[in-house]
Structures are given as C-alpha cells and as structure tokens.
Amino acid sequence: MTKHERLHAHLETLIQGGIGPDQRLPPERELAEAFGVSRMTVRHALDRLERERRVYRVQGAGTFVARPPIAKTIELTSFTEDMRRRGLVPGSVLRVFETVAAGPEIGYALSLSPADEVVHVERVRTADGIPMCLEHAYLPAALVPGLTTLEGSLYSELHRRYRIRITHAEQSIRATVLDQEAAARLDAPPFSPALLVERTAFDERDRPVERAMSTYRGDRYSFEIAVTTAAAGSPARAGRRSGGE
Ligand code: 16G
C-alpha cells in the first residue's frame, strides 16, 4: 500500500464507524505526520470526502464526520395519521356518501367497468377545526359491502371492518385553483391557489382499492420532497408532507 492509500483507508475507517457523526477528524497536520504525506495531500483527500458529503468543515474548528442521509421514502399515510404526527387534531365533515356507477375515468383507475358500482365519499378534512382539504374518494362497492356511512378515518375503517390494508399508491400532485364550490367548502376565496393530489391506492394483493382526489388549500399545505445526488448513495427520493398553519 502506498502512503496515499494508507491515508485513504484510515479516513474510510474513521468515517465508517471509527468515530461517530459530528465528531472531529484528527487535524490535517497530525494526519500528515502519521502517514508521512504532505498537508496538501491530506487536504486533497478531505476535499474529496467533502464533495461526497461524507465530511463537512467548520471554519477554524476542523473537519467533522457527516451524518449519513436519512433514507426516507415518500410515506403513505392517511390524512388522520398525517395530521396527528404534526400534533394537530384531525377532523372530517362528511358532505356526500353515495353509491354510483364508476364511469370511465374512475372505472379505469380502479380496474372496473364503467357500469360497476363505486362508493363515493366527499369530505372536508380539517386540522384543529380548520379546513385543509376537500377530498373525493371512490372505492369499489364490492370491496366494502355494508358500508353506508363513514365517521373518522377511512383507512382505519377499511382495515378494521374489511381487513384491507393500503400498502402502496400511485400519486400525482399538480397546481390548480379552487372553483367556487371548493372555495366555499374550504372557507377560502374563489380561484385561490390549491394543490390537487390524485391517488390510486392498492392493497397488499395489489388490488386497486381507492381512487381519490384531494384538493389542499395552497396557503395551508406544502409537500416537501428531499432529493439527494446519486453520489450520496441513498435512495433518490425521500420526503415528508407538511401541513398546518
Ligand atoms: C389521504 C389520502 C386519501 C385518503 C385519506 C384517508 C392523499 C393525497 N390522500 O388524505 O386518498 O382517502 O388520506 O384518510 O394522501 P383517513 O383515513 O384519515 O380518512
């Protein structure tokens, strides 16, 4: 092993567990002496680690081991869980509960024929009593026999009553404006900005269970998605949603 390689191997060992995150690496001078290389060589090695975000430097204090990135995927949560995690009290105002024909679009999303029946639930979702989101959810009626109304969490009810657990979803988010009806329900000015989230949710057997359109007030909700470079070695997607005032 050359001196450079020994220095590199030593730094790797330190970073990968020799010393913990946010702990300081030995000073450049000390490393240079210990490995019989110039300080410039040590600096180049540290520069590279810094570019890879495995260490960070603090002016006048030294070089520290970076925390490994938190590998979080975009979490699939219900509105109820989402709000509780933020310390807000979730609520719902049920506007519509009906059984209707799926029609072409909902039918397509749920792998049903347009004439098949779906349960349509329209709710205004609130956090600490404040309207956050207007939600239309459509479920194949055949999957939820006997469901005639809904109080509380839809996902809890699906699990409690029908043993259906939503495990994954396809989701899109886009900008929109509130039409007059949505604005009235969300207590917002008409044509104010909003986020439309469309979701098709599946259970563990990969059956489409729900097609939902959730319209969030643009001033009360944001989606945060953390992205990392491939070099950071973590999944490219991570995220969380934030809500509240
Ligand atoms: C979320 C889902 C919605 C689902 C609801 C169930 C999005 C964009 N939408 O709002 O599809 O119906 O949760 O919430 O994430 P619940 O279990 O509290 O009724």
Side-chain angles (χ1 to χ4, degrees):
M1 245 197 218
T2 66
K3 290 174 185 175
H4 290 72
E5 284 166 350
R6 282 200 310 119
L7 168 67
H8 201 79
H10 181 66
L11 290 172
E12 281 290 338
T13 317
L14 287 180
I15 290 170
Q16 286 176 15
I19 54 178
D22 299 323
Q23 299 295 307
R24 194 170 50 204
L25 290 172
E28 287 177 10
R29 182 184 31 79
E30 225 174 80
L31 288 167
E33 278 169 20
F35 291 89
V37 294
S38 70
R39 281 185 70 167
M40 190 59 89
T41 302
V42 173
R43 198 162 303 154
H44 283 320
L46 293 175
D47 283 346
R48 198 173 116 195
L49 291 169
E50 191 181 25
R51 279 198 303 276
E52 292 170 359
R53 299 187 188 222
R54 299 175 65 199
V55 301
Y56 61 95
R57 286 177 160 128
V58 178
Q59 191 81 40
T63 306
F64 297 78
V65 175
R67 289 190 171 271
I70 302 162
K72 278 202 293 179
T73 53
I74 294 176
E75 281 180 275
L76 193 148
T77 51
S78 69
F79 184 86
T80 302
E81 289 171 312
D82 198 7
M83 292 305 122
R84 283 199 183 130
R85 282 186 197 178
R86 291 165 216 298
L88 304 168
V89 179
S92 284
V93 180
L94 184 66
R95 312 284 319 190
V96 175
F97 189 103
E98 60 183 1
T99 301
V100 292
E105 279 172 37
I106 305 291
Y108 179 75
L110 293 174
S111 303
L112 300 172
S113 81
D116 285 339
E117 287 190 329
V118 290
V119 168
H120 168 217
V121 184
E122 183 190 332
R123 294 179 293 171
V124 175
R125 312 306 307 264
T126 59
D128 285 350
I130 296 165
M132 294 282 285
C133 155
L134 180 66
E135 218 160 59
H136 289 269
Y138 298 86
L139 309 136
L143 286 185
V144 289
L147 192 68
T148 50
T149 187
L150 185 66
E151 282 172 30
S153 166
L154 171 65
Y155 284 6
S156 303
E157 191 70 356
L158 286 177
H159 189 239
R160 193 183 65 78
R161 229 171 129 172
Y162 303 101
R163 295 279 158 235
I164 294 175
R165 211 160 60 85
I166 307 269
T167 55
H168 54 292
E170 281 165 14
Q171 197 162 291
S172 74
I173 305 173
R174 62 188 161 90
T176 185
V177 291
L178 297 176
D179 61 26
Q180 298 215 335
E181 192 187 314
R185 298 201 169 166
L186 290 175
D187 206 7
F191 312 115
S192 48
L195 291 168
L196 173 65
V197 185
E198 294 179 291
R199 168 184 281 195
T200 306
F202 303 84
D203 69 1
E204 53 233 301
R205 288 157 59 190
D206 217 21
R207 293 182 300 183
V209 170
E210 179 198 34
R211 175 71 178 163
M213 289 75 140
S214 307
T215 308
Y216 294 87
R217 279 184 60 149
D219 57 344
R220 296 211 172 131
Y221 211 88
S222 70
F223 280 76
E224 288 177 18
I225 299 171
V227 289
T228 58
T229 58
S234 70
R237 296 186 315 169
R240 69 195 163 82
R241 289 184 292 176
S242 70
E245 292 285 58

